[in-house]
Structure formats: C-alpha cells, structure tokens
Amino acid sequence: GRYEETREALQTADSHASDPIDHARLLRKHGEAWVSQRYFDKAGMDYDAALARVNQSPVRRDSNRWWEEWMTIEICRGDLFYYCQQLPALAEHIKALQAPFSGHASVQQEIGLLNMQNMYNIASKRFKLDEGDVARLKRSLALSKQIGNVHKTTFYRFGVGFMYLWSGSPKEAVRELSISLHEATEYGNLFLQDQSLAYLTLAYRRLGEEEQVRNLVAQHHPVSDQVLNLLYRGLLFGCEAWLSYRAGDMETAVQHGQTALDTWGSTPFPLRWPALWPLLGASLKLERPADAADFARQMLDPSHQQLEEDITAALQKAVDAWDAEEMGESQKHLQTAVHHAQTKNLF
C-alpha cells in the first residue's frame, strides 16, 4: 500500500536510467503502481511511454531483454483494456499478440497471455463462467508453479477461487480463496490479501453464512485502509449493507450501500449487486419505490454482471412497470425479484 513511496523511488531510478529498456521497465512499473490504485488513465500514459521507449532501443528485436520487456508491457496494456472494460480493444490486442508470443514468450509471459484470454472471457460472459474457465485458470496456476514465484502462484490460486465463485461453486471458491488469503498474509502481500478477502467474503455470502461474512468484514477493514483499492473497498461496504439489512437496520443498510456506490463512482465495475440488492430491499422496506426502481435499473445495465434469468426478467418487468407509471405492478415484480435473489443467497 506504499504507493507514493514506490512512485518516488521509481522516478528517482528513472532519472538515472540511460538504457532505453531499463527506462521502459521503470515507466511500466510506475504504471503498475497506478493500476493498483485504479488510476487507469495515468497507468495508460505510463504504459504508452514505456512502449515508445522500448521501441527506441537500438537492440530492438535482436535481444531477449528487448522481447521480455516488450511482451511484459503488452501484457500490462491488455490488463488495462480489461479493467476499463474495453472488450473490442482487448480482443484485437490478444489476436495481435499471438504470433510474436508464440516464438518468444517465457513461461511467465505465456501465463500473462493466457490470463488475458481469461479476463476477456470473464468480461464478455459478464461473469457467468463455466468449468472450462476454471480449467484455464488451473492451467495458469500449474504454469506459475514452474516459475517459483510465490506471489504469482498465490495470485493464480486466487484466480482459481475467483473462477469457481462465478461458475456457481462457492464452496470450492471458499477453499481456494482461503488458501490464497493465508499465503498472501504469510508473505505480507497486502494487495492479494485485499483481493482474497473481498471475494472470500462474497463466497460466504453466497453460502448464506452470515457470521463468516461478519468476521471477514472486520478482518478486511484494516487491510482495505492500507491498500485503498476502491473496487474492493466498495465490495466491503456492500457486504456491510447486507449485514445491516439482515439485522433489520434498513437506514444503516442504505448508508453502507450508498457509500459503496459513491466509492465506485464512475469507475467501470460490473459487480455492484453486493450493494444494490440491500439498497433495493431496504428501499422497499422504507417505502421508497422510486429508489428501489432505480437500483433495479442499475442491475439491468449491460455493463453489470449478468444475473439469473428469473431475476433479470422480474427486474425488467419492474422497471418497465415503473416507467409506465404502474407503481403497484412495479412493486410486485420487485418483490418477486427479491424472492428469487434470496433463494440464491444473492440477497
């Protein structure tokens, strides 16, 4: 979480770098520090500058060092397309990298390209994944063990848990994410702790295990305070909203849920339902139908995770009825959506 200190150190090193490849590497690492805090525009500028700098190297494609840095920058640029939900650009990027990677990629870079494909699948499928997606991530995990980098192995262990969660296997997700959390804590990797805690909490929420969610929320707060990742911080507030709703405290549920939405702001993030469901439910309890209809509308946005068909149908009917000024019908369909969501422990 020491991002400013990291950036200052990188800038100092950059001022002394004369080799174009070293200069590109430092610019790329500077961009990675911005990504960790979700400052994607700044990261993109650094990546573009790194790519321009490496392309200025006199050794160009005659050096393994050149290929290594060029491919690493391109992997980082692909990650950025995913984070910004620029799927057509990501698809073209993956296609363009196939040929150069096939002849020059190390195991680590092969993993990077495979991970890029995984991220594209996640976004294009709107987080409705399957066993094939889990299998591809397991392939990344197996390859990462060949490198011997414990942080990379833990990251891909987290990835397997993440894939299990969105392929409808929350128990398996708990198993893998618990391991990644333990390993990240052991190695002092705050960023991976933050990720693991965010999605492990959601996995237990999908299992309806309220006490586990409460314990993990308490554990997540000090980590989130250090990492300051807005996406996972929003998930933390969303789970607090869920706990308040379950406790019958509707006003506090609204406060936590709105804090989650404010934390995310306009940042592209398809997993807003952890806050939107308790907001919708609390708004119904508090007799705020306009708010409830608005939260339903947000879950229908094409950028949001695709929900189950019966839930989506009920939400759509509710929004259509509200727009037609059929308030009673809208309320009825919202209650139906809530019922379906509760049976699946989304609520």
Side-chain angles (χ1 to χ4, degrees):
R2 297 160 65 181
Y3 300 114
E4 290 303 326
E5 184 179 328
T6 299
R7 276 192 284 271
E8 288 176 8
L10 288 169
Q11 287 169 349
T12 300
D14 184 48
S15 66
H16 295 94
S18 57
D19 180 81
I21 296 176
D22 287 341
H23 192 189
R25 179 176 58 83
L26 291 166
L27 284 166
R28 186 248 307 163
K29 286 184 173 293
H30 197 259
E32 290 173 337
W34 285 124
V35 168
S36 296
Q37 290 184 283
R38 265 38 188 185
Y39 292 118
F40 298 137
D41 289 345
K42 294 179 179 180
M45 292 171 63
D46 279 338
Y47 290 157
D48 289 345
L51 189 62
R53 197 74 182 100
V54 78
N55 283 330
Q56 292 170 3
S57 171
V59 299
R60 296 286 291 176
R61 299 169 187 262
D62 300 324
S63 161
N64 288 335
R65 278 184 69 233
W66 187 92
W67 277 109
E68 181 178 356
E69 186 55 40
W70 181 83
M71 286 188 286
T72 303
I73 294 168
E74 292 292 16
I75 289 168
C76 290
R77 292 181 67 231
D79 291 347
L80 206 57
F81 289 137
Y82 168 76
Y83 294 137
C84 296
Q85 295 294 289
Q86 297 174 359
L87 297 191
L90 178 56
E92 286 299 315
H93 193 63
I94 293 169
K95 183 179 178 181
L97 294 180
Q98 295 293 332
F101 270 58
S102 66
H104 299 277
S106 65
V107 172
Q108 183 166 327
Q109 287 152 351
E110 181 184 347
I111 295 171
L113 187 59
L114 186 61
N115 190 50
M116 220 184 293
Q117 183 64 59
N118 288 332
M119 291 192 296
Y120 177 77
N121 289 341
I122 290 168
S124 62
K125 292 181 176 182
R126 294 176 62 193
F127 285 72
K128 297 292 287 183
L129 307 179
D130 54 39
E131 292 180 359
D133 298 302
V134 175
R136 278 187 291 274
L137 224 301
K138 286 184 176 180
R139 167 68 175 158
S140 296
L141 176 60
L143 286 171
S144 72
K145 291 178 180 178
Q146 297 179 25
I147 301 171
N149 183 320
V150 292
H151 296 282
K152 289 288 185 182
T153 300
T154 299
F155 173 75
Y156 289 109
R157 172 77 67 185
F158 159 80
V160 171
F162 180 91
M163 291 294 196
Y164 269 131
L165 179 58
W166 305 124
S167 62
S169 302
K171 289 183 179 179
E172 289 79 1
V174 164
R175 181 188 67 224
E176 301 297 329
L177 292 169
S178 295
I179 295 171
S180 71
L181 175 59
H182 172 77
E183 292 177 349
T185 303
E186 189 175 72
Y187 304 141
N189 189 323
L190 282 170
F191 185 71
L192 273 171
Q193 287 179 56
D194 193 32
Q195 288 182 303
S196 299
L197 282 163
Y199 291 105
L200 182 57
T201 305
L202 286 183
Y204 275 119
R205 181 168 159 179
R206 290 300 303 264
L207 292 168
E209 297 193 24
E210 187 173 333
E211 194 58 33
Q212 290 281 9
V213 172
R214 183 174 289 105
N215 292 338
L216 286 167
V217 162
Q219 187 178 348
H220 195 180
H221 263 293
V223 175
S224 178
D225 289 344
Q226 293 181 77
V227 177
L228 298 176
N229 183 306
L230 299 183
L231 302 189
Y232 304 139
R233 208 162 167 77
L235 288 177
L236 173 58
F237 293 130
C239 286
E240 287 190 308
W242 181 77
L243 289 169
S244 296
Y245 181 87
R246 300 266 286 201
D249 187 348
M250 300 303 146
E251 290 290 358
T252 302
V254 169
Q255 290 172 13
H256 285 312
Q258 191 58 54
T259 299
L261 297 186
D262 292 342
T263 299
W264 290 320
S266 60
T267 302
F269 188 53
L271 297 173
R272 295 175 181 250
W273 62 259
L276 289 170
W277 276 123
L279 278 168
L280 190 158
S283 296
L284 289 174
K285 295 280 189 182
L286 295 168
E287 298 184 355
R288 299 171 185 170
D291 289 344
D294 179 61
F295 296 134
R297 195 185 305 275
Q298 290 185 51
M299 281 191 277
L300 291 171
D301 191 285
S303 66
H304 192 267
Q305 181 183 20
Q306 184 178 353
L307 301 174
E308 282 79 353
E309 289 183 7
D310 54 352
I311 296 175
T312 299
L315 290 173
Q316 188 64 62
K317 288 177 182 177
V319 169
D320 291 343
W322 181 263
D323 291 343
E325 299 185 358
E326 298 172 357
M327 311 310 179
E329 281 295 300
S330 179
Q331 294 265 59
K332 182 183 75 173
H333 292 305
L334 287 174
Q335 293 289 1
T336 299
V338 166
H339 171 73
H340 290 323
Q342 286 173 330
T343 62
K344 298 175 174 65
N345 282 327
L346 282 171
F347 208 85

